[in-house]
Amino acid sequence: MRGLFRWSSKWWPGVVPLVLFWVIAAWNNTVAVETDLAGKAASAVKDIVLDKVKISADGRDIDFEAEAFSEEGRRGALTAVEAAPGVRLVNDQTRLVPESKPFVWSAEREVAKITLSGNAPLPAVKGKLMDVARDQVKGIEIADQMGLARGAPVNFEDAAALLIGQIGKLKDGKVTISDSTVSLSGMARDLGGREAIAAALKTLPQGFSVAANDVKAPPYIFQANKDPVAVTLTLSGYVPDENIHAVVLGASSRKFFSEKVVDNLKTSLGAPPGFVNAVIPALGVLSRLSTGTLVVSDREVKISGDALYEAAAQQIHAGLAKDFPKEWQVTADISVRPASAPVDASVCQQLFSELLSKAKIRFLTGRDTLDSDSTGLLDRLVETALRCPNATIEIAGHTDSDGEDTANQTLSERRAQAVLDYFVKAGLPADRFTAIGYGGTKPIASNDTDDGKAQNRRIEFLVR
Amino acid sequence: MAYMIAFHWGWLLASLVLGFCMGWVAVVTHARPVPRRWMIVLGVVAAGLVALAVTQVVPGRFGYWLDLLLIMFVPYLVGCAIGSQLRDWVVMRTAPPG
């Protein structure tokens, strides 16, 4: 030991090459050590949920910047970096992700682009919402402008996913979550989209409420076009359901007795309230026109065309206010078709017979009130009567054999008189017409069958 | 420590070999020994450097370089001790009796 101490006093010359070794080692290894330690520190925190992670090494000391989503996560990340092999000191520059109050998230659609913005509580949630958007709205650019913040309401992810599903139903618009309230605005892509969104909002996670739903829908359109050349009534647009579809078709076939009904209607949700109560009278107006178009757009009804005679045009205008639901706006652009050329009495008789062979004048059961479905036919009959101004016309009422003869006689007279009154209101002189009731005395078919009875219940015109 | 050894084992081996050679030569060399007073001063300096390294007060790269210097110095000293001891045994065996 004593020798060792003595020899050690002669070891100093080796220190010179040792220092040289040290300089070379430091020169070569410093960057390598720093790179290696930075990598080890990064892999130590790769499974910990952090944002804005920045790790760099200065010698064996690590500068660690990150934003954590909880204090526990922040401490865990710091401990993991400190425990990485080779790390000497950690310069802690970690902090918690800022808390957002109110916590706002939104998704905005501009026809072919969806932008998700605002705050998400975790990177994983952010990624999942992007996946949901890509899945729900395929073939559209999805832009991620979301930041990260603490303070999200419970069930935020479920609520946001549900709202992303709804933005797929919008043509353009925005959905927003602000704390636990939800707001929507924009234009639905399809008819019924607004109703579908409203239904989906009822399934929002517990704790969420709808602050505003200002989603608008495209106009609910129903159209009818009466073409006198093709002798067709073309129905297009939408009806709310199959029942109303059947009601509209039934009313059309009764009111438009000589036209073929072309049905291009589709069913869709989103009809305005009172739809059927507006469409049926509107079809009644159209049936009185020689040519015309009916357009129903939401609660707005527009009817245009040519009435068969002047009084008909006036009656149509007068009836607009009372025949349609109150909340509806009705405009009619009605002109009067030029009068047809006069004809002699025999042609007039022939025209009456032709019209009545296609349809019958209808009355309410057991009463003398004209059925509104017959208004179109009555106008055609009036127009025919106008073409033979010199002829006198007998309006003959007939019933079937059911009931008492006197009652039938009276009913047939009153029904003939009702038709006469209609003609007089149309501007025809009353002295040209005679209303006669025959009761059931002149049947044209057997009263033993319902079909025969129906044929016997009739109004006839005899031109003299 | 384990990381430093694992990462710089080549340089530590080189220091050990250098120390061995220096120790081997030191037994028979006529070089002037370091005075006792200087030995004490150098020992104090070395202890100070060790204290700086242990307390990790030297930051960043300078801290790393200090650690590297000290950790290379250890195998050098070990090599010197082994070299000197072995050379001493060899000298003792080959020396004529008397």
Side-chain angles (χ1 to χ4, degrees):
Chain A
M1 194 69 191
R2 193 180 173 85
L4 203 61
F5 185 76
R6 193 175 68 245
W7 302 322
S8 68
S9 65
K10 295 181 181 179
W11 291 345
W12 64 267
V15 172
V16 176
L18 179 69
V19 168
L20 192 64
F21 282 7
W22 170 66
V23 170
I24 296 169
W27 182 269
N28 280 329
N29 289 333
T30 301
V31 173
V33 163
E34 287 174 349
T35 307
D36 185 54
L37 289 178
K40 280 187 163 61
S43 67
V45 296
K46 75 176 191 309
D47 294 330
I48 299 173
V49 182
L50 298 168
D51 187 36
K52 297 176 185 168
V53 177
K54 202 170 160 188
I55 293 175
S56 60
D58 182 17
R60 289 169 59 206
D61 300 347
I62 297 293
D63 290 326
F64 180 33
E65 279 182 53
E67 289 187 355
F69 295 88
S70 66
E71 181 57 26
E72 190 184 7
R74 193 189 71 81
R75 284 187 195 151
L78 200 56
T79 308
V81 173
E82 283 169 346
V87 171
R88 192 182 72 148
L89 292 172
V90 177
N91 178 16
D92 176 17
Q93 294 171 44
T94 59
R95 60 190 178 121
L96 289 174
V97 168
E99 185 166 356
S100 181
K101 199 73 188 168
F103 190 92
V104 177
W105 171 90
S106 66
E108 185 166 12
R109 178 165 192 169
E110 300 159 299
V111 188
K113 183 182 178 185
I114 289 178
T115 306
L116 305 184
S117 53
N119 298 313
L122 288 169
V125 173
K126 197 173 142 178
K128 191 169 176 186
L129 293 179
M130 286 295 288
D131 290 343
V132 170
R134 285 189 201 100
D135 187 48
Q136 292 275 348
V137 196
K138 290 190 173 71
I140 280 186
E141 182 190 348
I142 314 280
D144 178 9
Q145 291 180 3
M146 287 180 283
L148 294 164
R150 290 181 300 128
V154 179
N155 296 325
F156 165 83
E157 186 182 337
D158 293 340
L162 186 133
L163 290 180
I164 288 173
Q166 305 321 303
I167 208 155
K169 296 171 189 160
L170 295 179
K171 187 174 151 197
D172 54 63
K174 189 174 184 180
V175 293
T176 306
I177 294 177
S178 179
D179 283 340
S180 59
T181 59
V182 172
S183 308
L184 301 93
S185 61
M187 174 64 77
R189 202 165 50 157
D190 303 313
L191 274 177
R194 183 176 49 182
E195 286 70 22
I197 289 169
L201 290 178
K202 288 176 183 162
T203 64
L204 272 170
Q206 198 175 13
F208 283 86
S209 60
V210 180
N213 181 3
D214 298 326
V215 173
K216 294 177 175 61
Y220 198 91
I221 302 285
F222 172 92
Q223 285 181 302
N225 184 47
K226 185 178 180 181
D227 183 347
V229 178
V231 199
T232 54
L233 173 75
T234 305
L235 303 176
S236 56
Y238 297 91
V239 286
D241 56 45
E242 285 304 330
N243 286 337
I244 292 178
H245 191 181
V247 168
V248 169
L249 284 182
S252 299
S253 60
R254 288 194 303 275
K255 291 176 191 295
F256 298 85
F257 58 92
S258 61
E259 285 83 8
K260 182 189 173 194
V261 177
V262 179
D263 176 21
N264 293 331
L265 291 170
K266 296 173 188 166
T267 57
S268 172
L269 294 171
F275 175 82
V276 74
N277 293 332
V279 164
I280 298 299
L283 285 170
V285 171
L286 186 64
S287 73
R288 299 186 67 178
L289 306 180
S290 67
T291 176
T293 303
L294 160 68
V295 178
V296 178
S297 176
D298 284 335
R299 293 189 193 182
E300 198 177 317
V301 179
K302 285 183 182 169
I303 306 167
S304 59
D306 297 336
L308 295 170
Y309 51 93
E310 184 62 38
Q314 291 169 3
Q315 287 169 9
I316 288 169
H317 279 293
L320 293 180
K322 60 182 170 62
D323 292 341
F324 289 84
K326 278 181 186 172
E327 302 80 12
W328 287 64
Q329 188 189 347
V330 186
T331 53
D333 180 14
I334 307 292
S335 52
V336 180
R337 193 179 77 165
S340 301
V343 292
D344 61 26
S346 61
V347 176
C348 219
Q349 177 66 68
Q350 193 181 344
L351 291 171
F352 277 126
S353 301
E354 276 178 17
L355 284 171
L356 291 171
S357 69
K358 291 177 184 168
K360 289 169 64 180
I361 298 173
R362 294 170 183 274
F363 296 86
L364 301 186
T365 305
R367 298 170 63 182
D368 61 354
T369 308
L370 287 162
D371 188 326
S372 61
D373 286 344
S374 292
T375 313
L377 172 61
L378 286 163
D379 278 0
R380 300 282 291 274
L381 292 167
V382 169
E383 187 208 16
T384 303
L386 286 166
R387 294 180 69 180
C388 44
N390 300 321
T392 57
I393 298 166
E394 179 189 308
I395 302 171
H398 301 271
T399 66
D400 57 28
S401 60
D402 286 355
E404 291 180 10
D405 290 346
T406 49
N408 284 339
Q409 176 64 34
T410 307
L411 182 61
S412 64
E413 287 170 5
R414 283 167 56 192
R415 283 182 167 178
Q417 186 61 43
V419 174
L420 190 151
D421 292 344
Y422 190 92
F423 276 50
V424 172
K425 278 183 191 167
L428 287 161
D431 57 7
R432 283 183 56 202
F433 299 94
T434 318
I436 298 176
Y438 291 99
T441 58
K442 291 189 175 180
I444 54 170
S446 166
N447 277 308
D448 295 335
T449 62
D450 287 343
D451 186 48
K453 286 177 189 174
Q455 287 183 56
N456 289 334
R457 295 191 296 271
R458 68 197 188 278
I459 297 288
E460 290 177 342
F461 289 78
L462 295 169
V463 182
R464 298 183 194 281
Chain B
M1 180 66 81
Y3 176 83
M4 289 294 279
I5 293 168
F7 203 93
H8 304 95
W9 66 270
W11 291 105
L12 299 182
L13 186 65
S15 303
L16 184 74
V17 171
L18 177 66
F20 182 85
C21 296
M22 197 60 242
W24 187 267
V25 172
V27 174
V28 294
T29 185
H30 295 291
R32 237 176 73 186
V34 177
R36 187 180 178 83
R37 187 193 290 174
W38 273 102
M39 289 283 277
I40 293 166
V41 170
L42 286 172
V44 169
V45 169
L49 290 175
V50 169
L52 285 176
V54 169
T55 54
Q56 301 182 338
V57 292
V58 182
R61 286 184 169 181
F62 295 104
Y64 161 64
W65 293 333
L66 175 62
D67 291 350
L68 182 61
L69 176 66
L70 293 173
I71 209 167
M72 285 174 76
F73 204 67
V74 171
Y76 173 77
L77 290 178
V78 171
C80 285
I82 294 169
S84 294
Q85 194 66 58
L86 284 177
R87 188 66 185 274
D88 185 47
W89 284 345
V90 170
V91 170
M92 290 283 279
R93 279 191 176 185
T94 54

